């Protein structure tokens, strides 16, 4: 996947990695490295996406992995894609949850 993204980064405009935990939009940065932060422009883009693509029962929430599912990892695909290529990426959680 890394090689594909790098080979096509000039044509990829947006990357989605679907998950199935709950009604959430997981956005970068979810890794333990807290020095990585979204720029104001990136925050605005994610905010616009959130406003325009609520699904299910309108209880969709947006945030980082630690904020949403309360665990810290080394990061996820969206973190790597945004940080290394500048491509807006996110992981929508499309299942149901008791959150």
């Amino acid at each position: 996947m890394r090689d594909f993204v790098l080979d096509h980064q000039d044509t990829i405009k947006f990357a989605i990695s679907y998950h199935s935990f709950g009604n959430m939009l997981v956005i970068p940065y979810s890794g333990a490295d807290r020095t990585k932060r979204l720029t104001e422009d990136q925050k605005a883009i994610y905010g616009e996406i959130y406003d325009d693509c609520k699904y299910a029962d309108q209880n969709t929430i947006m945030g980082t992995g630690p904020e949403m599912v309360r665990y810290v990892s080394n990061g996820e695909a969206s973190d790597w894609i945004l940080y290394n290529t500048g491509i807006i990426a996110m992981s929508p959680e499309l299942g149901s949850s008791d959150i």
Side-chain angles (χ1 to χ4, degrees), residues 7-67:
D7 289 347
H8 296 90
Q9 65 183 314
D10 293 334
T11 56
I12 296 173
K13 304 299 180 203
F14 186 74
I16 298 174
S17 175
Y18 287 105
H19 294 239
S20 59
F21 180 72
N23 297 329
M24 298 177 250
L25 298 175
V26 181
I27 62 171
Y29 288 101
S30 294
D33 180 355
R34 294 290 167 215
T35 63
K36 294 183 174 96
R37 301 269 188 233
L38 296 176
T39 66
E40 291 303 314
D41 286 343
Q42 291 166 340
K43 287 179 188 177
I45 291 168
Y46 285 112
E48 191 172 325
I49 291 167
Y50 177 75
D51 290 343
D52 289 344
C53 74
K54 289 183 184 175
Y55 50 88
D57 60 6
Q58 299 298 311
N59 289 324
T60 302
I61 53 178
M62 179 176 75
T64 66
E67 294 167 343

